[in-house]
Amino acid sequence: MAVEQTLSIIKPDAVAKNVIGEIYSRFEKAGLTIVAARMMQLSREQAEGFYAVHKERPFFNDLVSFMISGPVMVQALEGEDAIAKNRELMGATNPKEAAPGTIRADFAVSIDENAVHGSDGADTAKQEIAYFFKPEEVCKRIR
Ligand code: UDP
């Protein structure tokens, strides 16, 4: 296993539920370290750019509207196997299919409002971290 970094977003529904700390605690208990973080109110342009890969999908406009409906908490997580580990903690995209005890099973209500985003591979992780953070904003972890 290699040490990796991944991008995580706590989406507006979970921020509104006041569970940022609860979700951070799950990251930390799983051995993931927060190495960059920013609370943001995304603009429409920022949300469209972030989800550009989905722009032809039928849910694109609703997804963008949801992502700008309130503040989000954006973080880079670092740790052994961080990309897969974060996806495991998140659970399936549709919370109804998410394994018990995952973030989406516990905090999300629907596939369109599903509490968290996590990068799905090494290339997207790099791109997505760079989308929100300058290199100098990603802190070095003390081991
Ligand atoms: N999404 C949606 N409706 C769908 C499929 C996806 O609103 O039918 C949204 C949902 O918020 C999801 C995001 O689009 O998290 C990105 O979809 P993806 O398939 O990449 O899922 P993820 O990687 O977030 O699990």
Short mmCIF file of all heavy atoms in Angstrom, two decimals, residues 84-131:
data_model
loop_
_atom_site.label_atom_id
_atom_site.label_comp_id
_atom_site.label_asym_id
_atom_site.label_seq_id
_atom_site.Cartn_x
_atom_site.Cartn_y
_atom_site.Cartn_z
N ALA A 84 -9.02 4.66 -1.94
CA ALA A 84 -9.97 3.56 -1.73
C ALA A 84 -10.55 3.61 -0.31
O ALA A 84 -11.74 3.34 -0.11
CB ALA A 84 -9.27 2.22 -1.96
N LYS A 85 -9.71 3.97 0.65
CA LYS A 85 -10.19 4.02 2.04
C LYS A 85 -11.32 5.04 2.18
O LYS A 85 -12.34 4.78 2.81
CB LYS A 85 -9.02 4.37 2.95
CG LYS A 85 -9.14 3.82 4.35
CD LYS A 85 -7.92 4.12 5.18
CE LYS A 85 -6.97 2.96 5.28
NZ LYS A 85 -5.77 3.27 6.09
N ASN A 86 -11.13 6.21 1.57
CA ASN A 86 -12.17 7.23 1.65
C ASN A 86 -13.45 6.76 0.96
O ASN A 86 -14.55 6.95 1.48
CB ASN A 86 -11.67 8.54 1.04
CG ASN A 86 -12.70 9.65 1.12
OD1 ASN A 86 -13.38 9.80 2.13
ND2 ASN A 86 -12.84 10.41 0.04
N ARG A 87 -13.31 6.10 -0.20
CA ARG A 87 -14.49 5.60 -0.92
C ARG A 87 -15.23 4.56 -0.07
O ARG A 87 -16.46 4.51 -0.08
CB ARG A 87 -14.08 4.97 -2.26
CG ARG A 87 -13.41 5.92 -3.24
CD ARG A 87 -14.34 6.85 -3.95
NE ARG A 87 -15.42 6.20 -4.64
CZ ARG A 87 -16.31 6.85 -5.41
NH1 ARG A 87 -16.20 8.17 -5.58
NH2 ARG A 87 -17.28 6.22 -5.98
N GLU A 88 -14.46 3.77 0.66
CA GLU A 88 -15.06 2.76 1.53
C GLU A 88 -15.84 3.42 2.67
O GLU A 88 -16.95 3.02 2.99
CB GLU A 88 -13.92 1.93 2.11
CG GLU A 88 -14.23 0.50 2.37
CD GLU A 88 -12.97 -0.17 2.92
OE1 GLU A 88 -11.98 -0.31 2.17
OE2 GLU A 88 -12.99 -0.52 4.12
N LEU A 89 -15.23 4.45 3.26
CA LEU A 89 -15.91 5.17 4.35
C LEU A 89 -17.19 5.84 3.84
O LEU A 89 -18.19 5.92 4.56
CB LEU A 89 -15.00 6.27 4.93
CG LEU A 89 -13.76 5.83 5.71
CD1 LEU A 89 -12.91 7.04 6.06
CD2 LEU A 89 -14.16 5.08 6.98
N MET A 90 -17.16 6.33 2.57
CA MET A 90 -18.31 7.04 2.00
C MET A 90 -19.50 6.11 1.77
O MET A 90 -20.64 6.49 2.00
CB MET A 90 -17.92 7.66 0.64
CG MET A 90 -16.98 8.83 0.75
SD MET A 90 -16.19 9.17 -0.85
CE MET A 90 -17.58 9.45 -1.93
N GLY A 91 -19.24 4.92 1.23
CA GLY A 91 -20.32 4.01 0.84
C GLY A 91 -20.79 4.31 -0.57
O GLY A 91 -20.34 5.25 -1.22
N ALA A 92 -21.73 3.50 -1.05
CA ALA A 92 -22.19 3.60 -2.44
C ALA A 92 -22.84 4.96 -2.72
O ALA A 92 -23.37 5.60 -1.81
CB ALA A 92 -23.19 2.48 -2.73
N THR A 93 -22.78 5.36 -4.01
CA THR A 93 -23.33 6.66 -4.44
C THR A 93 -24.78 6.83 -3.98
O THR A 93 -25.16 7.90 -3.51
CB THR A 93 -23.26 6.75 -5.99
OG1 THR A 93 -21.93 6.45 -6.41
CG2 THR A 93 -23.66 8.13 -6.48
N ASN A 94 -25.56 5.76 -4.15
CA ASN A 94 -26.96 5.80 -3.70
C ASN A 94 -27.02 5.34 -2.23
O ASN A 94 -26.74 4.18 -1.94
CB ASN A 94 -27.80 4.87 -4.57
CG ASN A 94 -29.27 4.96 -4.21
OD1 ASN A 94 -29.64 5.52 -3.18
ND2 ASN A 94 -30.11 4.41 -5.06
N PRO A 95 -27.37 6.24 -1.32
CA PRO A 95 -27.34 5.88 0.10
C PRO A 95 -28.20 4.66 0.44
O PRO A 95 -27.91 3.95 1.40
CB PRO A 95 -27.86 7.13 0.82
CG PRO A 95 -28.34 8.05 -0.23
CD PRO A 95 -27.78 7.63 -1.55
N LYS A 96 -29.22 4.41 -0.39
CA LYS A 96 -30.06 3.22 -0.14
C LYS A 96 -29.29 1.94 -0.37
O LYS A 96 -29.65 0.88 0.12
CB LYS A 96 -31.32 3.28 -1.01
CG LYS A 96 -32.23 4.42 -0.59
CD LYS A 96 -33.49 4.50 -1.43
CE LYS A 96 -34.40 5.62 -0.93
NZ LYS A 96 -33.82 6.96 -1.10
N GLU A 97 -28.21 2.04 -1.16
CA GLU A 97 -27.37 0.85 -1.43
C GLU A 97 -26.08 0.86 -0.62
O GLU A 97 -25.26 -0.05 -0.73
CB GLU A 97 -27.03 0.81 -2.93
CG GLU A 97 -28.23 0.48 -3.78
CD GLU A 97 -28.03 0.86 -5.25
OE1 GLU A 97 -26.89 1.16 -5.66
OE2 GLU A 97 -29.05 0.86 -5.96
N ALA A 98 -25.88 1.90 0.16
CA ALA A 98 -24.62 2.05 0.91
C ALA A 98 -24.60 1.10 2.11
O ALA A 98 -25.62 0.91 2.78
CB ALA A 98 -24.45 3.50 1.36
N ALA A 99 -23.44 0.50 2.35
CA ALA A 99 -23.30 -0.45 3.46
C ALA A 99 -23.57 0.24 4.80
O ALA A 99 -23.23 1.42 4.97
CB ALA A 99 -21.89 -1.05 3.45
N PRO A 100 -24.17 -0.49 5.75
CA PRO A 100 -24.43 0.09 7.07
C PRO A 100 -23.14 0.62 7.68
O PRO A 100 -22.08 0.02 7.52
CB PRO A 100 -24.95 -1.10 7.89
CG PRO A 100 -25.40 -2.12 6.90
CD PRO A 100 -24.61 -1.89 5.64
N GLY A 101 -23.25 1.76 8.35
CA GLY A 101 -22.08 2.32 9.02
C GLY A 101 -21.24 3.23 8.13
O GLY A 101 -20.30 3.85 8.59
N THR A 102 -21.59 3.32 6.83
CA THR A 102 -20.86 4.24 5.97
C THR A 102 -21.46 5.65 6.11
O THR A 102 -22.58 5.81 6.60
CB THR A 102 -20.91 3.80 4.49
OG1 THR A 102 -22.28 3.72 4.07
CG2 THR A 102 -20.24 2.44 4.29
N ILE A 103 -20.69 6.63 5.67
CA ILE A 103 -21.14 8.03 5.80
C ILE A 103 -22.47 8.24 5.07
O ILE A 103 -23.39 8.86 5.59
CB ILE A 103 -20.05 8.99 5.25
CG1 ILE A 103 -18.79 8.90 6.12
CG2 ILE A 103 -20.57 10.42 5.17
CD1 ILE A 103 -17.56 9.59 5.52
N ARG A 104 -22.56 7.71 3.85
CA ARG A 104 -23.80 7.93 3.09
C ARG A 104 -24.98 7.18 3.70
O ARG A 104 -26.09 7.71 3.73
CB ARG A 104 -23.57 7.55 1.62
CG ARG A 104 -22.81 8.66 0.88
CD ARG A 104 -22.32 8.21 -0.47
NE ARG A 104 -21.88 9.34 -1.30
CZ ARG A 104 -21.17 9.18 -2.41
NH1 ARG A 104 -20.82 7.97 -2.82
NH2 ARG A 104 -20.81 10.25 -3.13
N ALA A 105 -24.74 5.97 4.22
CA ALA A 105 -25.84 5.24 4.86
C ALA A 105 -26.32 6.02 6.09
O ALA A 105 -27.52 6.09 6.35
CB ALA A 105 -25.38 3.85 5.27
N ASP A 106 -25.40 6.62 6.80
CA ASP A 106 -25.78 7.28 8.06
C ASP A 106 -26.30 8.70 7.89
O ASP A 106 -27.12 9.16 8.68
CB ASP A 106 -24.58 7.30 9.02
CG ASP A 106 -24.24 5.91 9.55
OD1 ASP A 106 -25.08 5.00 9.37
OD2 ASP A 106 -23.16 5.73 10.12
N PHE A 107 -25.81 9.42 6.87
CA PHE A 107 -26.14 10.85 6.80
C PHE A 107 -26.85 11.30 5.53
O PHE A 107 -27.32 12.43 5.47
CB PHE A 107 -24.87 11.70 6.96
CG PHE A 107 -24.15 11.44 8.24
CD1 PHE A 107 -22.83 11.01 8.24
CD2 PHE A 107 -24.78 11.61 9.46
CE1 PHE A 107 -22.15 10.75 9.42
CE2 PHE A 107 -24.11 11.35 10.65
CZ PHE A 107 -22.81 10.92 10.64
N ALA A 108 -26.91 10.46 4.48
CA ALA A 108 -27.49 10.93 3.22
C ALA A 108 -28.90 10.40 3.07
O ALA A 108 -29.24 9.35 3.62
CB ALA A 108 -26.62 10.47 2.05
N VAL A 109 -29.70 11.12 2.29
CA VAL A 109 -31.08 10.69 2.11
C VAL A 109 -31.37 10.21 0.69
O VAL A 109 -32.25 9.40 0.47
CB VAL A 109 -32.09 11.81 2.48
CG1 VAL A 109 -32.13 12.01 3.97
CG2 VAL A 109 -31.77 13.10 1.76
N SER A 110 -30.62 10.73 -0.30
CA SER A 110 -30.94 10.37 -1.69
C SER A 110 -29.68 10.40 -2.53
O SER A 110 -28.65 10.95 -2.11
CB SER A 110 -31.95 11.36 -2.26
OG SER A 110 -31.33 12.62 -2.42
N ILE A 111 -29.78 9.83 -3.72
CA ILE A 111 -28.61 9.78 -4.62
C ILE A 111 -28.17 11.19 -5.02
O ILE A 111 -26.99 11.42 -5.26
CB ILE A 111 -28.88 8.89 -5.85
CG1 ILE A 111 -27.59 8.61 -6.62
CG2 ILE A 111 -29.95 9.47 -6.75
CD1 ILE A 111 -27.68 7.48 -7.63
N ASP A 112 -29.10 12.14 -5.07
CA ASP A 112 -28.68 13.50 -5.46
C ASP A 112 -28.17 14.32 -4.28
O ASP A 112 -27.44 15.28 -4.47
CB ASP A 112 -29.78 14.31 -6.17
CG ASP A 112 -31.07 13.58 -6.35
OD1 ASP A 112 -31.69 13.17 -5.33
OD2 ASP A 112 -31.45 13.42 -7.51
N GLU A 113 -28.52 13.95 -3.09
CA GLU A 113 -28.01 14.69 -1.92
C GLU A 113 -27.34 13.65 -1.03
O GLU A 113 -27.95 13.13 -0.09
CB GLU A 113 -29.16 15.41 -1.20
CG GLU A 113 -29.90 16.35 -2.14
CD GLU A 113 -30.64 17.47 -1.43
OE1 GLU A 113 -30.61 17.54 -0.19
OE2 GLU A 113 -31.24 18.29 -2.14
N ASN A 114 -26.08 13.34 -1.38
CA ASN A 114 -25.47 12.15 -0.76
C ASN A 114 -24.23 12.45 0.10
O ASN A 114 -23.32 11.65 0.18
CB ASN A 114 -25.20 11.09 -1.83
CG ASN A 114 -24.24 11.58 -2.90
OD1 ASN A 114 -23.75 12.69 -2.82
ND2 ASN A 114 -23.94 10.73 -3.86
N ALA A 115 -24.24 13.60 0.73
CA ALA A 115 -23.36 13.94 1.86
C ALA A 115 -21.89 14.19 1.56
O ALA A 115 -21.29 15.10 2.13
CB ALA A 115 -23.48 12.90 2.99
N VAL A 116 -21.29 13.36 0.71
CA VAL A 116 -19.85 13.50 0.49
C VAL A 116 -19.45 13.21 -0.95
O VAL A 116 -20.11 12.44 -1.66
CB VAL A 116 -19.03 12.55 1.41
CG1 VAL A 116 -18.83 13.14 2.80
CG2 VAL A 116 -19.64 11.16 1.48
N HIS A 117 -18.32 13.81 -1.34
CA HIS A 117 -17.64 13.47 -2.59
C HIS A 117 -16.27 12.91 -2.23
O HIS A 117 -15.65 13.35 -1.26
CB HIS A 117 -17.44 14.72 -3.46
CG HIS A 117 -16.47 14.48 -4.59
ND1 HIS A 117 -16.88 13.91 -5.78
CD2 HIS A 117 -15.13 14.65 -4.68
CE1 HIS A 117 -15.80 13.75 -6.55
NE2 HIS A 117 -14.73 14.21 -5.91
N GLY A 118 -15.79 11.96 -3.02
CA GLY A 118 -14.41 11.50 -2.87
C GLY A 118 -13.84 11.13 -4.22
O GLY A 118 -14.54 10.52 -5.04
N SER A 119 -12.59 11.50 -4.46
CA SER A 119 -11.94 11.18 -5.74
C SER A 119 -12.02 9.67 -6.00
O SER A 119 -11.93 8.88 -5.07
CB SER A 119 -10.47 11.59 -5.72
OG SER A 119 -10.32 12.92 -5.30
N ASP A 120 -12.15 9.30 -7.29
CA ASP A 120 -12.32 7.87 -7.60
C ASP A 120 -11.07 7.21 -8.17
O ASP A 120 -11.10 6.04 -8.53
CB ASP A 120 -13.53 7.66 -8.52
CG ASP A 120 -13.38 8.37 -9.85
OD1 ASP A 120 -12.29 8.96 -10.11
OD2 ASP A 120 -14.33 8.34 -10.65
N GLY A 121 -9.96 7.94 -8.26
CA GLY A 121 -8.74 7.32 -8.77
C GLY A 121 -7.56 8.27 -8.60
O GLY A 121 -7.75 9.42 -8.19
N ALA A 122 -6.37 7.76 -8.90
CA ALA A 122 -5.16 8.55 -8.64
C ALA A 122 -5.12 9.83 -9.49
O ALA A 122 -4.73 10.90 -8.99
CB ALA A 122 -3.92 7.69 -8.91
N ASP A 123 -5.50 9.72 -10.77
CA ASP A 123 -5.44 10.90 -11.63
C ASP A 123 -6.46 11.95 -11.21
O ASP A 123 -6.14 13.14 -11.12
CB ASP A 123 -5.68 10.51 -13.10
CG ASP A 123 -4.54 9.65 -13.64
OD1 ASP A 123 -3.45 9.66 -13.03
OD2 ASP A 123 -4.77 8.96 -14.65
N THR A 124 -7.69 11.48 -10.94
CA THR A 124 -8.71 12.45 -10.53
C THR A 124 -8.35 13.07 -9.17
O THR A 124 -8.59 14.26 -8.97
CB THR A 124 -10.13 11.83 -10.47
OG1 THR A 124 -10.06 10.56 -9.86
CG2 THR A 124 -10.76 11.71 -11.82
N ALA A 125 -7.75 12.30 -8.29
CA ALA A 125 -7.36 12.85 -6.99
C ALA A 125 -6.40 14.03 -7.18
O ALA A 125 -6.59 15.10 -6.59
CB ALA A 125 -6.72 11.77 -6.12
N LYS A 126 -5.41 13.85 -8.03
CA LYS A 126 -4.44 14.93 -8.28
C LYS A 126 -5.13 16.15 -8.87
O LYS A 126 -4.92 17.28 -8.43
CB LYS A 126 -3.35 14.45 -9.27
CG LYS A 126 -2.26 13.68 -8.59
CD LYS A 126 -1.00 13.62 -9.46
CE LYS A 126 0.08 12.83 -8.75
NZ LYS A 126 -0.33 11.41 -8.51
N GLN A 127 -5.95 15.90 -9.89
CA GLN A 127 -6.65 17.02 -10.55
C GLN A 127 -7.58 17.74 -9.57
O GLN A 127 -7.64 18.97 -9.56
CB GLN A 127 -7.54 16.50 -11.68
CG GLN A 127 -6.81 16.11 -12.94
CD GLN A 127 -7.70 15.22 -13.84
OE1 GLN A 127 -8.92 15.19 -13.69
NE2 GLN A 127 -7.08 14.51 -14.76
N GLU A 128 -8.31 16.96 -8.78
CA GLU A 128 -9.31 17.56 -7.90
C GLU A 128 -8.65 18.33 -6.74
O GLU A 128 -9.15 19.39 -6.35
CB GLU A 128 -10.25 16.49 -7.37
CG GLU A 128 -11.15 15.93 -8.47
CD GLU A 128 -12.09 14.83 -8.01
OE1 GLU A 128 -12.04 14.41 -6.83
OE2 GLU A 128 -12.90 14.38 -8.83
N ILE A 129 -7.55 17.83 -6.22
CA ILE A 129 -6.84 18.57 -5.16
C ILE A 129 -6.34 19.90 -5.75
O ILE A 129 -6.51 20.96 -5.14
CB ILE A 129 -5.70 17.74 -4.55
CG1 ILE A 129 -6.27 16.57 -3.75
CG2 ILE A 129 -4.80 18.61 -3.65
CD1 ILE A 129 -5.24 15.54 -3.29
N ALA A 130 -5.78 19.83 -6.96
CA ALA A 130 -5.26 21.04 -7.61
C ALA A 130 -6.38 22.02 -7.97
O ALA A 130 -6.14 23.22 -8.09
CB ALA A 130 -4.45 20.66 -8.84
N TYR A 131 -7.60 21.51 -8.14
CA TYR A 131 -8.74 22.38 -8.46
C TYR A 131 -9.04 23.32 -7.30
O TYR A 131 -9.46 24.45 -7.51
CB TYR A 131 -9.97 21.52 -8.79
CG TYR A 131 -11.11 22.29 -9.41
CD1 TYR A 131 -11.10 22.57 -10.77
CD2 TYR A 131 -12.18 22.74 -8.64
CE1 TYR A 131 -12.14 23.29 -11.36
CE2 TYR A 131 -13.22 23.46 -9.21
CZ TYR A 131 -13.20 23.72 -10.57
OH TYR A 131 -14.22 24.43 -11.15
#
